[in-house]
Coordinates of all heavy atoms in Angstrom, one line a residue:
M97 N 125.5 118.7 119.3 CA 124.6 117.6 119.9 C 123.3 118.2 120.4 O 123.3 119.3 120.8 CB 125.5 117.1 121.2 CG 126.6 116.3 120.9 SD 127.5 115.6 122.4 CE 126.5 114.2 122.8
N98 N 122.3 117.4 120.4 CA 121.1 117.8 120.9 C 120.7 117.1 122.1 O 121.4 116.2 122.6 CB 120.0 117.6 119.8 CG 119.8 116.1 119.4 OD1 119.9 115.3 120.2 ND2 119.5 115.9 118.0
D99 N 119.5 117.3 122.6 CA 119.1 116.8 124.0 C 119.2 115.2 123.9 O 119.6 114.5 124.8 CB 117.8 117.2 124.4 CG 117.8 118.6 125.0 OD1 118.9 119.2 125.2 OD2 116.7 119.2 125.2
N100 N 118.7 114.7 122.8 CA 118.8 113.2 122.6 C 120.1 112.6 122.7 O 120.4 111.5 123.3 CB 117.9 112.7 121.4 CG 116.5 112.9 121.6 OD1 115.9 112.9 122.7 ND2 115.8 113.3 120.5
D101 N 121.0 113.3 122.1 CA 122.4 112.8 122.0 C 123.0 112.9 123.5 O 123.7 111.9 123.9 CB 123.3 113.8 121.2 CG 122.9 113.7 119.7 OD1 122.5 112.6 119.3 OD2 123.1 114.6 118.9
Y102 N 122.7 113.9 124.2 CA 123.2 114.1 125.6 C 122.5 113.0 126.4 O 123.3 112.4 127.3 CB 122.9 115.4 126.2 CG 123.8 116.5 125.6 CD1 123.2 117.4 124.9 CD2 125.1 116.4 125.8 CE1 124.1 118.5 124.3 CE2 126.0 117.5 125.4 CZ 125.5 118.3 124.6 OH 126.3 119.4 124.1
K103 N 121.3 112.7 126.2 CA 120.6 111.6 127.1 C 121.2 110.3 126.8 O 121.5 109.4 127.6 CB 119.2 111.6 126.8 CG 118.5 112.7 127.5 CD 117.0 112.8 127.3 CE 116.3 113.9 128.0 NZ 114.9 114.1 127.7
E104 N 121.5 110.1 125.4 CA 122.1 108.8 125.0 C 123.5 108.6 125.7 O 123.8 107.5 126.2 CB 122.2 108.7 123.5 CG 122.7 107.4 123.0 CD 122.8 107.3 121.4 OE1 121.9 107.8 120.8 OE2 123.7 106.8 120.9
A105 N 124.3 109.6 125.6 CA 125.7 109.6 126.3 C 125.5 109.4 127.8 O 126.3 108.6 128.4 CB 126.4 110.9 126.0
L106 N 124.5 110.0 128.4 CA 124.3 109.8 129.9 C 123.9 108.4 130.2 O 124.5 107.9 131.1 CB 123.2 110.9 130.3 CG 122.8 110.7 131.8 CD1 123.9 111.1 132.7 CD2 121.5 111.6 132.1
F107 N 123.0 107.8 129.5 CA 122.7 106.5 129.8 C 123.7 105.5 129.4 O 123.8 104.5 130.1 CB 121.3 106.2 129.2 CG 120.2 107.0 129.9 CD1 119.4 107.9 129.2 CD2 119.9 106.9 131.2 CE1 118.4 108.7 129.8 CE2 119.0 107.6 131.9 CZ 118.3 108.6 131.2
Y108 N 124.5 105.7 128.4 CA 125.7 104.9 128.2 C 126.6 104.9 129.3 O 127.1 103.9 129.8 CB 126.4 105.3 126.9 CG 127.6 104.5 126.5 CD1 127.5 103.2 126.2 CD2 128.8 105.1 126.8 CE1 128.7 102.5 125.9 CE2 130.0 104.3 126.5 CZ 129.9 103.0 126.2 OH 131.0 102.3 125.9
A109 N 126.9 106.2 129.9 CA 127.8 106.2 131.0 C 127.2 105.6 132.2 O 127.9 104.9 133.1 CB 128.0 107.8 131.3
A110 N 125.9 105.8 132.4 CA 125.1 105.1 133.5 C 125.4 103.6 133.4 O 125.5 102.9 134.5 CB 123.7 105.5 133.5
S111 N 125.2 103.0 132.2 CA 125.5 101.5 132.0 C 126.8 101.1 132.5 O 126.9 100.0 133.1 CB 125.1 101.1 130.7 OG 126.2 101.5 129.8
I112 N 127.8 101.9 132.3 CA 129.1 101.6 132.7 C 129.2 101.7 134.2 O 129.8 100.7 134.9 CB 130.1 102.6 132.1 CG1 130.2 102.3 130.6 CG2 131.6 102.3 132.7 CD1 131.1 103.3 129.8
F113 N 128.7 102.7 134.9 CA 128.5 102.8 136.3 C 127.9 101.5 136.9 O 128.3 100.9 137.8 CB 127.9 104.0 136.7 CG 128.8 105.2 136.9 CD1 129.0 106.0 135.8 CD2 129.3 105.6 138.1 CE1 129.8 107.2 135.9 CE2 130.0 106.6 138.2 CZ 130.4 107.4 137.1
N114 N 126.8 101.1 136.2 CA 126.0 100.0 136.7 C 126.7 98.7 136.7 O 126.8 98.0 137.6 CB 124.7 99.9 135.9 CG 123.7 101.0 136.1 OD1 123.8 101.7 137.1 ND2 122.8 101.1 135.2
E115 N 127.5 98.5 135.6 CA 128.3 97.2 135.4 C 129.5 97.3 136.3 O 129.7 96.3 137.0 CB 128.7 97.2 133.9 CG 129.6 96.0 133.6 CD 130.1 96.1 132.2 OE1 129.4 96.4 131.3 OE2 131.2 95.8 132.0
R116 N 130.2 98.4 136.4 CA 131.4 98.4 137.2 C 131.3 98.6 138.7 O 132.1 98.3 139.4 CB 132.4 99.3 136.5 CG 132.8 98.8 135.1 CD 133.9 99.6 134.5 NE 134.1 99.2 133.2 CZ 134.9 99.8 132.3 NH1 135.7 100.8 132.7 NH2 135.0 99.3 131.1
L117 N 130.3 99.3 139.0 CA 130.1 99.7 140.4 C 128.9 99.2 141.1 O 128.6 99.5 142.2 CB 130.1 101.3 140.5 CG 131.3 102.0 139.9 CD1 131.1 103.5 140.0 CD2 132.6 101.6 140.7
G118 N 128.2 98.4 140.4 CA 127.0 97.8 140.9 C 125.9 98.8 141.2 O 125.0 98.5 142.0
A119 N 126.0 99.9 140.5 CA 124.9 101.0 140.6 C 123.6 100.4 139.9 O 123.5 99.5 139.2 CB 125.4 102.3 140.0
E120 N 122.6 101.2 140.1 CA 121.3 100.8 139.4 C 120.6 102.0 138.7 O 119.4 102.4 138.9 CB 120.3 100.2 140.4 CG 120.8 99.0 141.1 CD 119.9 98.4 142.1 OE1 118.7 98.9 142.3 OE2 120.3 97.3 142.7
F121 N 121.4 102.7 137.9 CA 120.9 103.9 137.3 C 120.1 103.4 136.1 O 120.4 102.5 135.4 CB 122.0 104.9 136.7 CG 122.7 105.6 137.8 CD1 124.1 105.4 138.0 CD2 122.1 106.5 138.6 CE1 124.8 106.0 139.0 CE2 122.7 107.2 139.6 CZ 124.1 106.9 139.8
S122 N 119.0 104.2 135.8 CA 118.1 103.9 134.6 C 117.4 105.0 134.2 O 117.4 106.1 134.8 CB 117.1 102.8 135.0 OG 116.1 103.3 135.9
E123 N 116.6 104.9 133.1 CA 115.8 106.0 132.6 C 114.7 106.4 133.7 O 114.2 107.5 133.6 CB 115.2 105.8 131.3 CG 116.3 105.7 130.2 CD 115.7 105.6 128.8 OE1 114.5 106.2 128.5 OE2 116.3 105.0 128.0
D124 N 114.4 105.6 134.5 CA 113.4 105.8 135.5 C 113.9 106.5 136.7 O 113.1 107.1 137.4 CB 112.7 104.4 136.0 CG 112.1 103.7 135.0 OD1 111.4 104.3 134.0 OD2 112.0 102.4 135.0
N125 N 115.2 106.6 137.0 CA 115.7 107.2 138.2 C 116.9 108.1 137.9 O 117.5 108.6 138.9 CB 116.1 106.1 139.3 CG 117.2 105.3 138.8 OD1 118.0 105.5 137.9 ND2 117.5 104.2 139.6
L126 N 117.0 108.5 136.7 CA 118.1 109.5 136.3 C 117.5 110.5 135.3 O 117.1 110.1 134.3 CB 119.3 108.7 135.8 CG 120.5 109.5 135.5 CD1 121.1 110.1 136.8 CD2 121.6 108.5 134.8
V127 N 117.6 111.8 135.7 CA 117.0 112.8 134.8 C 118.1 113.8 134.4 O 118.9 114.2 135.1 CB 115.7 113.5 135.5 CG1 114.7 112.5 135.6 CG2 116.2 114.1 136.8
L128 N 117.9 114.3 133.2 CA 118.8 115.3 132.7 C 118.0 116.5 132.1 O 117.0 116.3 131.4 CB 119.6 114.7 131.5 CG 120.4 115.7 130.6 CD1 121.6 116.3 131.5 CD2 120.9 115.0 129.4
R129 N 118.3 117.7 132.5 CA 117.7 118.8 131.9 C 118.8 119.8 131.5 O 119.8 120.0 132.2 CB 116.8 119.6 133.0 CG 115.6 118.9 133.4 CD 114.5 118.8 132.2 NE 113.3 118.2 132.6 CZ 113.2 116.9 132.6 NH1 114.2 116.0 132.3 NH2 112.0 116.3 133.0
C130 N 118.5 120.5 130.5 CA 119.6 121.5 129.9 C 118.9 122.9 130.0 O 117.6 123.1 129.9 CB 119.9 121.2 128.5 SG 120.6 119.7 128.4
F131 N 119.7 124.0 130.2 CA 119.2 125.3 130.1 C 120.1 126.2 129.4 O 121.2 125.9 129.2 CB 118.9 125.9 131.6 CG 120.1 126.0 132.4 CD1 120.9 127.1 132.3 CD2 120.6 125.0 133.2 CE1 121.9 127.3 133.1 CE2 121.7 125.2 134.0 CZ 122.4 126.3 134.0
Q132 N 119.5 127.3 129.0 CA 120.3 128.5 128.5 C 120.4 129.6 129.5 O 119.5 129.7 130.4 CB 119.8 128.8 127.2 CG 119.8 127.7 126.1 CD 119.0 128.2 124.8 OE1 118.3 129.1 124.7 NE2 119.3 127.3 123.7
T133 N 121.2 130.5 129.3 CA 121.3 131.6 130.3 C 120.0 132.3 130.3 O 119.6 132.8 131.4 CB 122.4 132.7 129.8 OG1 123.7 131.9 129.7 CG2 122.6 133.8 130.7
E134 N 119.3 132.4 129.2 CA 118.0 133.2 129.2 C 116.9 132.6 130.1 O 116.0 133.2 130.5 CB 117.5 133.4 127.7 CG 118.4 134.2 126.8 CD 119.5 133.2 126.3 OE1 119.3 132.0 126.1 OE2 120.6 133.7 126.1
N135 N 116.9 131.3 130.3 CA 115.9 130.5 131.0 C 116.4 129.8 132.2 O 115.7 128.9 132.7 CB 115.1 129.6 130.0 CG 115.9 128.5 129.5 OD1 117.1 128.3 129.8 ND2 115.2 127.7 128.8
Q136 N 117.5 130.1 132.7 CA 118.2 129.2 133.7 C 117.4 129.1 134.9 O 117.2 128.1 135.6 CB 119.6 129.7 134.0 CG 119.7 131.1 134.5 CD 121.1 131.6 134.6 OE1 122.0 131.1 133.9 NE2 121.3 132.7 135.2
Q137 N 116.8 130.2 135.5 CA 116.1 130.3 136.7 C 114.8 129.5 136.5 O 114.4 128.7 137.4 CB 115.8 131.7 137.2 CG 115.2 131.7 138.6 CD 115.1 133.1 139.2 OE1 116.0 133.9 138.9 NE2 114.2 133.3 140.0
E138 N 114.1 129.8 135.4 CA 112.8 129.0 135.1 C 113.1 127.5 135.0 O 112.3 126.8 135.7 CB 112.3 129.5 133.9 CG 111.0 128.8 133.5 CD 110.5 129.3 132.1 OE1 110.9 130.4 131.6 OE2 109.5 128.6 131.6
V139 N 114.1 127.1 134.3 CA 114.3 125.7 134.2 C 114.7 125.0 135.6 O 114.2 123.9 135.9 CB 115.4 125.5 133.1 CG1 115.8 123.9 133.2 CG2 114.9 125.8 131.7
F140 N 115.6 125.7 136.3 CA 116.0 125.2 137.6 C 114.8 125.1 138.6 O 114.6 124.1 139.2 CB 116.9 126.2 138.3 CG 117.4 125.9 139.7 CD1 118.4 125.0 139.9 CD2 116.7 126.4 140.7 CE1 118.9 124.7 141.1 CE2 117.1 126.1 142.0 CZ 118.2 125.2 142.3
E141 N 113.8 126.1 138.5 CA 112.6 125.9 139.4 C 111.8 124.8 139.1 O 111.3 124.1 139.9 CB 111.9 127.3 139.4 CG 112.7 128.3 140.1 CD 112.0 129.8 139.9 OE1 111.1 130.0 139.0 OE2 112.4 130.7 140.6
Q142 N 111.6 124.6 137.7 CA 110.7 123.5 137.3 C 111.3 122.3 137.6 O 110.7 121.2 138.0 CB 110.4 123.6 135.7 CG 109.7 124.8 135.3 CD 109.6 124.9 133.8 OE1 110.2 124.3 133.1 NE2 108.8 126.0 133.4
F143 N 112.7 122.1 137.3 CA 113.4 120.9 137.6 C 113.3 120.5 139.0 O 113.0 119.3 139.4 CB 114.9 121.1 137.1 CG 115.8 119.9 137.2 CD1 115.6 118.8 136.5 CD2 116.9 119.9 138.0 CE1 116.5 117.6 136.5 CE2 117.8 118.8 138.2 CZ 117.6 117.7 137.4
C144 N 113.6 121.5 139.9 CA 113.6 121.3 141.3 C 112.1 120.9 141.9 O 112.0 120.1 142.8 CB 114.3 122.4 142.1 SG 116.0 122.4 141.8
K145 N 111.3 121.7 141.3 CA 109.9 121.3 141.9 C 109.3 120.0 141.5 O 108.8 119.4 142.3 CB 108.9 122.5 141.1 CG 107.5 122.4 141.6 CD 106.7 123.4 141.0 CE 105.2 123.4 141.6 NZ 104.3 124.5 140.9
Q146 N 109.8 119.5 140.4 CA 109.3 118.2 140.0 C 110.2 117.1 140.7 O 109.7 116.0 141.2 CB 109.5 118.0 138.5 CG 108.9 116.7 137.9 CD 109.0 116.6 136.5 OE1 109.2 117.5 135.8 NE2 108.5 115.4 136.0
Y147 N 111.5 117.2 140.8 CA 112.3 116.2 141.4 C 113.1 116.4 142.6 O 113.4 115.5 143.4 CB 113.4 115.8 140.2 CG 112.8 115.4 139.0 CD1 112.8 116.2 137.8 CD2 112.3 114.0 138.9 CE1 112.3 115.7 136.6 CE2 111.8 113.7 137.6 CZ 111.8 114.5 136.6 OH 111.3 114.0 135.3
F148 N 113.5 117.7 142.9 CA 114.3 118.0 144.0 C 113.8 119.2 144.8 O 114.5 120.2 144.8 CB 115.8 118.2 143.6 CG 116.3 117.1 142.7 CD1 116.2 117.2 141.2 CD2 116.8 116.0 143.3 CE1 116.8 116.2 140.5 CE2 117.2 114.9 142.5 CZ 117.2 115.1 141.1
P149 N 112.6 119.1 145.4 CA 112.0 120.3 146.0 C 112.9 121.0 147.1 O 112.8 122.2 147.3 CB 110.7 119.8 146.6 CG 110.7 118.4 146.5 CD 111.7 118.0 145.5
D150 N 113.7 120.2 147.8 CA 114.5 120.8 148.8 C 115.6 121.7 148.2 O 116.0 122.7 148.9 CB 115.2 119.7 149.7 CG 116.2 118.8 148.8 OD1 115.7 118.3 147.7 OD2 117.3 118.5 149.2
R151 N 115.9 121.6 147.0 CA 116.9 122.5 146.3 C 116.3 123.8 146.0 O 117.0 124.8 145.8 CB 117.5 121.9 145.2 CG 118.3 120.6 145.3 CD 119.6 120.9 146.0 NE 120.5 121.8 145.2 CZ 121.4 121.4 144.4 NH1 121.6 120.1 144.2 NH2 122.2 122.3 143.8
L152 N 115.0 124.1 146.2 CA 114.4 125.3 146.0 C 114.7 126.3 147.1 O 114.5 127.5 147.0 CB 112.8 125.2 145.8 CG 112.4 124.6 144.5 CD1 111.0 124.3 144.6 CD2 112.7 125.5 143.3
E153 N 115.3 125.6 148.2 CA 115.8 126.5 149.3 C 117.2 127.1 149.0 O 117.7 127.9 149.8 CB 115.8 125.7 150.6 CG 114.3 125.2 150.9 CD 114.3 124.3 152.2 OE1 115.3 124.3 152.9 OE2 113.4 123.6 152.4
D154 N 117.9 126.6 148.0 CA 119.2 127.1 147.6 C 119.0 128.6 147.2 O 118.0 129.2 146.9 CB 119.8 126.4 146.3 CG 120.2 125.1 146.6 OD1 120.0 124.5 147.7 OD2 120.7 124.4 145.6
R155 N 120.1 129.3 147.2 CA 120.0 130.8 147.0 C 120.3 131.0 145.6 O 121.2 131.7 145.2 CB 121.1 131.5 147.8 CG 120.8 131.3 149.3 CD 121.7 132.1 150.3 NE 123.1 131.6 150.2 CZ 124.1 132.0 150.9 NH1 123.9 133.1 151.7 NH2 125.3 131.6 150.8
Y156 N 119.5 130.4 144.6 CA 119.8 130.3 143.2 C 119.5 131.7 142.6 O 119.8 132.0 141.4 CB 119.0 129.3 142.6 CG 117.5 129.3 142.7 CD1 116.7 130.0 141.8 CD2 116.8 128.8 143.7 CE1 115.4 130.0 141.9 CE2 115.4 128.9 143.9 CZ 114.7 129.5 142.9 OH 113.4 129.6 143.1
T157 N 118.9 132.6 143.3 CA 118.5 133.9 142.9 C 119.7 134.8 142.9 O 119.7 136.0 142.4 CB 117.3 134.6 143.4 OG1 117.5 134.7 144.8 CG2 116.0 133.7 143.2
E158 N 120.7 134.5 143.6 CA 122.0 135.3 143.8 C 122.9 135.2 142.6 O 122.8 134.3 141.8 CB 122.7 134.9 145.0 CG 122.0 135.2 146.3 CD 122.8 134.7 147.5 OE1 124.0 134.3 147.4 OE2 122.3 134.8 148.6
D159 N 123.5 136.4 142.3 CA 124.4 136.4 141.2 C 125.5 135.3 141.3 O 126.0 135.1 142.4 CB 125.1 137.8 141.1 CG 124.2 138.9 140.5 OD1 123.1 138.5 140.0 OD2 124.6 140.1 140.7
G160 N 125.8 134.7 140.2 CA 126.9 133.6 140.1 C 126.4 132.2 140.4 O 127.2 131.3 140.3
Y161 N 125.2 132.1 140.9 CA 124.8 130.7 141.3 C 124.8 129.7 140.1 O 125.2 128.6 140.2 CB 123.3 130.7 141.8 CG 122.8 129.4 142.2 CD1 123.0 129.0 143.6 CD2 122.2 128.4 141.4 CE1 122.7 127.7 144.0 CE2 121.8 127.2 141.9 CZ 122.0 126.8 143.1 OH 121.7 125.5 143.5
F162 N 124.6 130.3 138.9 CA 124.5 129.4 137.7 C 125.8 129.4 137.0 O 125.9 129.0 135.8 CB 123.4 129.8 136.8 CG 122.1 129.5 137.4 CD1 121.3 130.5 137.9 CD2 121.5 128.2 137.5 CE1 120.0 130.3 138.5 CE2 120.3 128.0 138.0 CZ 119.5 129.0 138.5
D163 N 126.9 129.7 137.7 CA 128.3 129.7 137.0 C 128.8 128.3 137.0 O 129.9 128.0 137.6 CB 129.3 130.6 137.7 CG 128.9 132.1 137.5 OD1 128.0 132.4 136.6 OD2 129.4 133.0 138.3
F164 N 128.1 127.4 136.3 CA 128.6 126.0 136.3 C 128.2 125.5 134.8 O 127.4 126.0 134.2 CB 128.1 125.1 137.4 CG 126.5 125.1 137.4 CD1 125.8 124.3 136.6 CD2 125.8 125.8 138.3 CE1 124.4 124.2 136.5 CE2 124.5 125.8 138.3 CZ 123.6 124.9 137.4
H165 N 128.9 124.4 134.5 CA 128.5 123.7 133.2 C 127.6 122.6 133.5 O 126.7 122.3 132.6 CB 129.7 123.2 132.5 CG 130.7 124.2 132.1 ND1 130.3 125.0 131.0 CD2 131.9 124.7 132.5 CE1 131.4 125.9 130.8 NE2 132.2 125.7 131.7
A166 N 127.7 122.0 134.7 CA 126.7 120.9 135.0 C 126.8 120.8 136.6 O 127.7 121.1 137.2 CB 127.1 119.6 134.3
S167 N 125.6 120.4 137.1 CA 125.4 120.3 138.5 C 124.7 118.9 138.8 O 123.7 118.7 138.1 CB 124.7 121.4 139.1 OG 124.6 121.3 140.5
A168 N 125.2 118.2 139.7 CA 124.5 116.9 140.0 C 123.6 117.1 141.2 O 123.8 117.9 142.1 CB 125.6 115.9 140.5
F169 N 122.5 116.4 141.1 CA 121.4 116.5 142.1 C 121.2 115.0 142.5 O 120.9 114.1 141.8 CB 120.1 117.0 141.5 CG 120.1 118.5 141.1 CD1 120.9 118.9 140.1 CD2 119.3 119.4 141.9 CE1 120.9 120.2 139.8 CE2 119.4 120.7 141.5 CZ 120.2 121.2 140.5
V170 N 121.3 114.9 143.9 CA 121.1 113.5 144.5 C 119.7 113.4 145.1 O 119.3 114.3 146.1 CB 122.2 113.3 145.6 CG1 122.0 111.9 146.2 CG2 123.6 113.4 145.0
G171 N 119.0 112.5 144.7 CA 117.7 112.3 145.2 C 117.7 111.6 146.6 O 118.7 111.1 147.0
T172 N 116.6 111.6 147.2 CA 116.4 111.0 148.6 C 115.4 109.8 148.4 O 114.5 109.8 147.6 CB 115.9 112.0 149.6 OG1 114.7 112.5 149.2 CG2 116.8 113.2 149.8
G173 N 115.8 108.8 149.2 CA 114.9 107.6 149.2 C 114.8 107.0 147.9 O 115.9 106.7 147.3
D174 N 113.7 106.8 147.3 CA 113.5 106.1 146.0 C 113.4 107.1 144.9 O 113.1 106.8 143.8 CB 112.4 105.2 146.0 CG 112.5 104.0 146.9 OD1 113.6 103.6 147.1 OD2 111.5 103.4 147.3
G175 N 113.7 108.4 145.2 CA 113.6 109.5 144.2 C 114.7 109.4 143.2 O 115.7 108.6 143.2
A176 N 114.7 110.2 142.1 CA 115.6 110.3 141.1 C 116.8 111.0 141.4 O 116.8 111.9 142.3 CB 114.9 110.9 139.9
D177 N 117.9 110.7 140.7 CA 119.1 111.5 140.7 C 119.1 112.3 139.4 O 118.4 111.9 138.5 CB 120.4 110.6 140.8 CG 120.5 109.9 142.2 OD1 120.2 110.5 143.2 OD2 120.9 108.7 142.1
G178 N 119.7 113.5 139.4 CA 119.7 114.2 138.2 C 120.9 115.1 138.0 O 121.8 115.2 138.8
I179 N 120.9 115.5 136.7 CA 122.0 116.4 136.1 C 121.3 117.6 135.5 O 120.4 117.5 134.7 CB 122.9 115.7 135.2 CG1 123.6 114.6 135.9 CG2 123.9 116.7 134.6 CD1 124.5 113.7 134.9
L180 N 121.7 118.9 135.9 CA 121.2 120.1 135.3 C 122.5 120.7 134.6 O 123.5 120.9 135.2 CB 120.7 121.0 136.3 CG 120.1 122.3 135.8 CD1 118.9 122.1 135.0 CD2 119.7 123.2 137.0
R181 N 122.4 120.9 133.3 CA 123.5 121.4 132.6 C 123.3 122.5 131.6 O 122.1 122.6 131.2 CB 124.3 120.3 131.8 CG 123.4 119.8 130.6 CD 124.1 118.7 129.7 NE 125.4 119.3 129.2 CZ 125.7 120.0 128.2 NH1 124.6 120.6 127.6 NH2 126.8 120.4 127.8
T182 N 124.2 123.3 131.4 CA 124.1 124.5 130.4 C 124.1 123.9 129.0 O 124.7 122.9 128.7 CB 125.1 125.6 130.5 OG1 126.4 124.9 130.4 CG2 125.2 126.1 131.9
E183 N 123.4 124.6 128.1 CA 123.5 124.2 126.7 C 124.9 124.5 126.3 O 125.5 125.4 126.7 CB 122.5 125.1 125.8 CG 121.1 124.8 126.1 CD 120.6 123.5 125.6 OE1 121.2 123.0 124.6 OE2 119.6 122.9 126.0
P184 N 125.3 123.8 125.3 CA 126.7 123.9 124.8 C 126.9 125.3 124.1 O 125.9 125.7 123.5 CB 126.9 122.8 123.8 CG 125.5 122.5 123.4 CD 124.7 122.7 124.6
L185 N 128.0 125.8 124.2 CA 128.4 127.1 123.5 C 128.8 126.6 122.1 O 129.3 125.6 121.9 CB 129.6 127.7 124.2 CG 129.3 128.2 125.6 CD1 130.6 128.7 126.3 CD2 128.2 129.2 125.7
T186 N 128.4 127.6 121.2 CA 128.9 127.3 119.8 C 130.3 127.6 119.6 O 130.8 128.7 120.1 CB 128.0 128.2 118.9 OG1 126.7 127.8 119.1 CG2 128.4 127.9 117.4
P187 N 131.1 126.7 119.1 CA 132.6 127.0 119.0 C 132.7 128.2 118.1 O 132.1 128.3 117.2 CB 133.1 125.6 118.4 CG 132.0 124.7 118.4 CD 130.8 125.3 118.7
V188 N 133.7 128.9 118.5 CA 134.1 130.1 117.6 C 135.4 129.7 116.8 O 136.3 129.2 117.3 CB 134.5 131.3 118.5 CG1 135.0 132.5 117.7 CG2 133.3 131.7 119.3
M189 N 135.2 129.8 115.4 CA 136.2 129.5 114.6 C 137.0 130.8 114.3 O 136.5 131.8 114.0 CB 135.7 128.9 113.2 CG 134.8 127.6 113.4 SD 135.7 126.3 114.2 CE 136.7 125.8 112.8
R190 N 138.4 130.6 114.5 CA 139.2 131.8 114.2 C 140.2 131.5 113.1 O 140.6 130.4 113.0 CB 140.0 132.2 115.5 CG 139.0 132.6 116.6 CD 139.9 133.1 117.7 NE 139.0 133.6 118.8 CZ 139.4 134.1 119.9 NH1 140.7 134.3 120.1 NH2 138.6 134.5 120.8
S191 N 140.5 132.5 112.3 CA 141.5 132.3 111.2 C 142.6 133.1 111.4 O 142.6 134.0 112.3 CB 140.8 132.6 109.9 OG 140.4 134.0 109.9
G192 N 143.7 132.8 110.8 CA 144.9 133.7 110.9 C 145.7 133.4 112.2 O 146.5 134.3 112.6
G193 N 145.4 132.4 112.9 CA 146.2 132.1 114.2 C 145.8 132.9 115.4 O 146.6 133.0 116.2
N194 N 144.8 133.6 115.3 CA 144.3 134.4 116.5 C 143.7 133.6 117.6 O 143.0 132.7 117.5 CB 143.3 135.5 116.0 CG 143.9 136.5 115.2 OD1 145.2 136.7 115.3 ND2 143.2 137.1 114.4

């Protein structure tokens, strides 16, 4: 899957939330960013600076902070909500029953 596939899946899920829970998620108020281990801190800082500046006070420079597959970010007021997720790992194919 690429970023567009993930965004499509996210907005499909958002439409279900909207329909069933009366939520109002849209492309205008829901953001998704992906990162890889090599650029996790940079992407986090850019993402937070743009959408969630209060999260820059998190202790994200400490070891283990990015030990997650996805993290939800809740906006304040009329701000956006967001999801920061790791890039998918490439599946390892094994032969011989290992």
Side-chain angles (χ1 to χ4, degrees):
M97 290 180 80
N98 62 37
D99 283 351
N100 289 330
D101 293 332
Y102 287 114
K103 286 180 181 179
E104 184 178 322
L106 174 64
F107 291 118
Y108 176 73
S111 71
I112 293 170
F113 273 86
N114 291 344
E115 178 184 320
R116 296 188 181 176
L117 302 174
E120 296 180 5
F121 291 117
S122 71
E123 291 187 36
D124 295 329
N125 66 9
L126 190 58
V127 291
L128 171 67
R129 291 291 183 279
C130 298
F131 67 86
Q132 297 174 343
T133 302
E134 300 81 34
N135 68 353
Q136 62 193 13
Q137 185 169 332
E138 177 185 350
V139 171
F140 178 86
E141 289 171 348
Q142 291 171 357
F143 184 66
C144 291
K145 184 175 182 181
Q146 184 172 359
Y147 299 106
F148 309 97
D150 59 313
R151 293 291 298 269
L152 289 170
E153 296 175 18
D154 287 5
R155 297 186 294 183
Y156 63 91
T157 58
E158 293 182 7
D159 287 344
Y161 184 87
F162 294 103
D163 290 348
F164 58 80
H165 293 288
S167 183
F169 290 70
V170 178
T172 58
D174 291 334
D177 294 316
I179 298 173
L180 184 65
R181 70 174 304 282
T182 58
E183 290 287 337
L185 298 174
T186 303
V188 176
M189 302 299 286
R190 294 185 180 186
S191 62
N194 292 340

